[in-house]
Amino acid sequence: MKITKITNLEFGKMVQAASQKLNQRAEFINSLNVFPVPDGDTGTNMSLSMASGAKYERDETSTQVGDLASALAKGLLMGARGNSGVILSQIFRGFSKNVAGKDVLTADDLAEAFAAGAQTAYKAVMKPTEGTILTVIRKAAGAGKEAVKTTDDICEVMVAIVEAAEAALKSTPDLLPVLKQVGVVDSGGQGLTFVLAAFSDSLSGKIDESQDYVPDDAEMDSMIDAAHHQSVQGQLDPNDIKYGYCTEIMVRIGDGKLVDHDFDYDTFYDYLAKLGDSLLVINDDEIVKVHVHTEHPGDVMTWGQRFGALIKVKVDNMRLQQETIMEHDHDAEAEAKTAEAVSQPKPDMHGYAIISVASGDGIGKLFKGLGVTDIIAGGQTMNPSTADIVKAVNASGADKALVLPNNKNIFLAAEQAADVADIPVEIVHSKTVSQGMTAMLAFNPEAELTDNQVEMEDTLDTVVSGQVTHAVRDTTIDGMAIRKDDYMGLVDGNIVVTNPDRETATIDMVKHMLDEDSELVTIIYGADATKAAADKLSTAIQALDDELEIEIHEGDQPVYPFLVSVE
C-alpha cells in the first residue's frame, strides 16, 4: 500500500509503536553495554525517555503533525535520561523544528526532518564520536534524502531509512574498537534502529515482530527500579510519600471471569494514570505488566481484572519501608544532629543552590556535609531525567545553581536542564562521586557562578576514583578475561583488575591507584558491604603504605560495594 502523506493519526501510531518497541526491547539494549557491569541502562534510559515523549504526544489535542512533533520533542526533552536519551531527544528536537507548522508530512518532509534531526544531534554533543547513535541517525537520514529522489512513497522511504540504520549499526564495531573487542553493536544505535523500525512497521501496517515478544521479569524489574528509586529514595519522611503502596500486577489479557473490556493500551493506561504516579505499563498480545505507586492498590487489581486474569500481584507499603530505613539510621542520625547543633551555624550560600546526584543515603549525607543543598536520587543504576534536574533547580529558591552529575552519562541531561531552568545554572562535570566531593572543597559562596564552575572543575583531576563491582557476563576487554560474577576494579572508568575474591580485587585496584604522592585514601562502603569489611580493607591498604591516611564512610550505594578515592 502506497502512502504519500503522514497525517496526525499515522504520526501518533508511529510514536506509540516506537515507545512500545523500546519498552519491549529495553533489557536487550541494556545487555549491549560494553563493560559487564550491572548498571548498563541504555535501554531503560531510552525507553523511559521515549515513554515521556509518547505521553506528551498522546496528550496533545492538535491535529497538526507539526504540533504533535513539537509535543513529542518536548516530552523527550523533559523525560530524557542518560546520554542516549538526551541524544534521542535532540534528534526529534531537530525533526520537530523542521516540520513546524505542517499539517501533514510528505516523503520529502520526512527525509528533511530526519536530516535536521541528525544535524541537531551532532551539534548537541561537544565531541561527536562515530560508531554511536550519531552514526546511525546520520546514515539513516542520508538514505532518506537519497530515497526521495526516486519515490514519493513514504513507506519506501522509511524502508530505506531503516535498512541504512541497520547497516550503520552493524558497522559500529568497525568504528569503535571497544565494541569489536566485546562483540556488540552500539547500544544507543540499536535503540534508535528499533525506533525507526517501529515507525516503518506502523506506516506499512505490518505486524511488528516484537508483538510476539513477552517482556520478561528482568526487563520490567529494571524499569521499575528506575521509576521506584526516583520517586521514593530521596523522600526521607514517610509522611512525604504521596502514594504509599508500590503495586505491581501481571494480567493475562482476555482470560478470567470478570473480563468486560477488550484490551486497549490508552484506555488501560489512562485510568491507571489517575490512580497514582511512577506508572509503567508494558504489554504484548497476551500479557500486560503494571507498576504504579498508588493509595488504592485494590482499584489497580480490579481494573486489571476487567481486562484479564491476575497472574501476579505484589504490593509493598513504602511508608513502612521508609520507617524501617529511618529506624535503622536513627542512632547514627541522632549523633550527627547533636554534633551539628554544637558546630558553627550553616554558612551563608549567597543565593547558591548546589545540586548533586547521589545514590545511597550515606553518600547523600556526605554531600550535604560538604555544603550541597539539594540531592537528586540517582546515579549508576537510575539516571535522573532532564525534568528531575529542572525541578530540583527551580524548587531550590536560589538565584543561581551548580549541578554535580557525578556520572558522565548524566552530563547531557544536566546541560539540557541548564538551558531550560528558571535561574542561571552551571554544570561541574564530575564523573564520579569522589570527583564531586573533591569539587565541593573548591566551592566559594562569594565567587561568581562561572568562576566557581571553573575552579571546581579544575580540581577534578586531582583525585583518582576507584569502583568495585561484579561482572554480569563473561567477556574479554583489552586482553583481560572477565568471568561472570567475578569482581572488577575500575579506575577512572577503566577495568584494571578482576578477581573472584572481592577484597583481593579491591586491594589490587588500589595498588593501581597509588603513587609516591598519594596521601589520603577514602573508602565508601555500599549496601552490599559492611563496616567490618571496610575496616579489613583499610588494614590491608595501610600495609601497602603505613604513611597513608585512610578514611571510611558508609555510603549505602547500590551496585558498587566499595568506592575508593586516592588523593
Side-chain angles (χ1 to χ4, degrees):
M1 180 179 68
K2 182 176 181 179
I3 296 178
T4 58
K5 65 180 180 180
I6 297 174
T7 68
N8 62 307
L9 296 177
E10 281 85 20
F11 188 78
K13 290 178 181 178
M14 291 162 61
V15 172
Q16 302 309 316
S19 180
Q20 184 180 41
K21 184 125 183 172
L22 282 179
N23 276 346
Q24 295 170 335
R25 297 302 196 221
E27 190 60 30
F28 171 72
I29 300 169
N30 286 343
S31 72
L32 299 176
N33 188 38
V34 170
F35 287 157
V37 296
D39 64 352
D41 50 9
T42 300
T44 303
N45 284 338
M46 295 188 78
S47 177
L48 292 173
S49 301
M50 194 68 190
S52 176
K55 183 180 186 306
Y56 273 65
E57 186 278 331
R58 191 166 57 245
D59 291 344
E60 174 58 56
T61 58
S62 174
T63 59
Q64 188 183 77
V65 173
D67 290 340
L68 297 179
S70 178
L72 170 64
K74 179 65 179 296
L76 277 164
L77 168 69
M78 300 310 292
R81 297 170 187 267
N83 292 342
S84 55
V86 172
I87 293 173
L88 186 67
S89 77
Q90 291 300 304
I91 290 171
F92 284 100
R93 177 170 175 252
F95 184 106
S96 70
K97 286 189 173 183
N98 189 265
V99 301
K102 294 184 182 294
D103 291 324
V104 299
L105 302 185
T106 65
D108 283 323
D109 293 333
L110 188 67
E112 290 291 341
F114 276 123
Q119 291 176 357
T120 301
Y122 268 85
K123 290 178 182 177
V125 181
M126 185 174 295
K127 295 180 180 179
T129 301
E130 296 300 333
T132 65
I133 185 175
L134 294 174
T135 302
V136 175
I137 187 56
R138 178 172 58 82
K139 294 285 190 179
K145 294 271 286 183
E146 286 297 314
V148 294
K149 293 178 179 179
T150 57
T151 182
D152 63 351
D153 185 345
I154 293 174
C155 290
E156 290 184 8
V157 173
M158 274 307 311
V159 167
I161 288 172
V162 171
E163 289 178 348
E166 291 173 342
L169 181 65
K170 290 179 181 178
S171 75
T172 55
D174 296 322
L175 298 171
L176 272 183
V178 67
L179 296 176
K180 179 167 284 188
Q181 281 187 45
V182 180
V184 296
V185 294
D186 178 67
S187 55
Q190 178 66 83
L192 176 62
T193 301
F194 281 146
V195 169
L196 298 175
F199 280 7
S200 180
D201 287 344
S202 177
L203 284 168
S204 64
K206 291 180 181 178
I207 298 176
D208 190 340
E209 292 179 1
S210 67
Q211 296 301 309
D212 296 327
Y213 172 77
V214 178
D216 61 22
D217 290 338
E219 175 185 22
M220 187 64 172
D221 289 346
S222 180
M223 298 181 71
I224 286 172
D225 285 345
H228 180 80
H229 280 285
Q230 192 62 48
S231 174
V232 176
Q233 186 179 4
Q235 302 182 34
L236 298 181
D237 187 345
N239 293 321
D240 290 338
I241 299 176
K242 183 177 181 181
Y243 299 108
Y245 296 93
C246 177
T247 305
E248 299 173 35
I249 64 171
M250 186 187 301
V251 179
R252 181 175 289 115
I253 298 171
D255 190 16
K257 296 181 179 180
L258 301 181
V259 174
D260 59 6
H261 278 54
D262 291 332
F263 184 80
D264 174 76
Y265 184 89
D266 290 342
T267 300
F268 188 81
Y269 182 101
D270 290 345
Y271 176 82
L272 293 172
K274 298 173 184 177
L275 295 181
D277 63 11
S278 298
L279 174 63
L280 293 170
V281 176
I282 300 175
N283 76 285
D284 65 356
D285 288 338
E286 298 178 0
I287 301 292
V288 57
K289 293 183 177 183
V290 174
H291 165 274
V292 64
H293 294 171
T294 181
E295 282 296 284
H296 306 285
D299 290 352
V300 175
M301 298 174 209
T302 299
W303 183 244
Q305 286 181 291
R306 300 188 69 174
F307 294 85
L310 299 179
I311 55 177
K312 177 183 176 182
V313 173
K314 182 172 179 285
V315 179
D316 292 319
N317 184 329
M318 296 186 295
R319 295 189 185 96
L320 183 59
Q321 289 176 334
Q322 191 66 24
E323 287 172 359
T324 302
I325 293 171
M326 291 177 68
E327 289 170 3
H328 177 268
D329 292 337
H330 180 268
D331 291 340
E333 286 191 20
E335 291 178 8
K337 287 179 180 178
T338 301
E340 184 179 355
V342 298
S343 65
Q344 71 253 24
K346 187 176 180 178
D348 182 0
M349 295 297 288
H350 290 267
Y352 270 100
I354 305 182
I355 297 165
S356 175
V357 180
S359 181
D361 187 49
I363 288 180
K365 290 176 183 176
L366 290 171
F367 271 117
K368 288 273 191 173
L370 290 168
V372 166
T373 60
D374 300 275
I375 300 293
I376 299 175
Q380 297 303 101
T381 57
M382 46 203 168
N383 299 152
S385 68
T386 300
D388 294 326
I389 300 171
V390 171
K391 181 179 179 181
V393 170
N394 292 345
S396 68
D399 301 323
K400 51 191 176 288
L402 291 160
V403 176
L404 301 168
N406 304 323
N407 185 318
K408 65 181 180 180
N409 203 37
I410 303 174
F411 287 179
L412 292 181
E415 289 163 1
Q416 283 201 155
D419 289 340
V420 299
D422 293 341
I423 61 175
V425 178
E426 290 288 347
I427 312 301
V428 178
H429 293 83
S430 50
K431 296 179 181 178
T432 65
V433 166
S434 301
Q435 284 192 345
M437 291 181 177
T438 298
M440 282 304 302
L441 299 177
F443 171 69
N444 178 2
E446 297 182 357
E448 295 295 325
L449 180 63
T450 53
D451 291 340
N452 260 322
Q453 191 268 348
V454 171
E455 290 296 323
M456 293 169 77
E457 285 215 342
D458 283 346
T459 69
L460 299 181
D461 291 335
T462 66
V463 60
V464 183
S465 302
Q467 302 165 305
V468 176
T469 189
H470 67 276
V472 295
R473 67 171 185 271
D474 292 344
T475 190
T476 300
I477 297 179
D478 293 332
M480 182 183 299
I482 300 171
R483 296 176 181 173
K484 184 177 182 294
D485 295 327
D486 278 2
Y487 287 93
M488 301 175 296
L490 291 79
V491 176
D492 290 331
N494 298 311
I495 301 173
V496 297
V497 298
T498 179
N499 196 285
D501 180 71
R502 186 175 70 184
E503 183 180 354
T504 302
T506 307
I507 295 169
D508 288 346
M509 177 190 75
V510 173
K511 290 178 181 177
H512 282 268
M513 300 169 68
L514 295 173
D515 62 28
E516 60 184 14
D517 297 322
S518 300
E519 298 178 352
L520 173 65
V521 177
T522 302
I523 302 168
I524 301 176
Y525 62 95
D528 295 329
T530 63
K531 175 65 162 54
D535 287 337
K536 185 177 180 182
L537 179 61
S538 174
T539 301
I541 295 173
Q542 198 77 72
L544 299 176
D545 183 347
D546 59 11
E547 294 186 0
L548 289 171
E549 180 182 351
I550 301 178
E551 294 183 358
I552 297 175
H553 300 282
E554 182 178 11
D556 306 306
Q557 71 272 8
V559 180
Y560 295 92
F562 293 115
L563 299 177
V564 182
S565 65
V566 175
E567 300 174 71

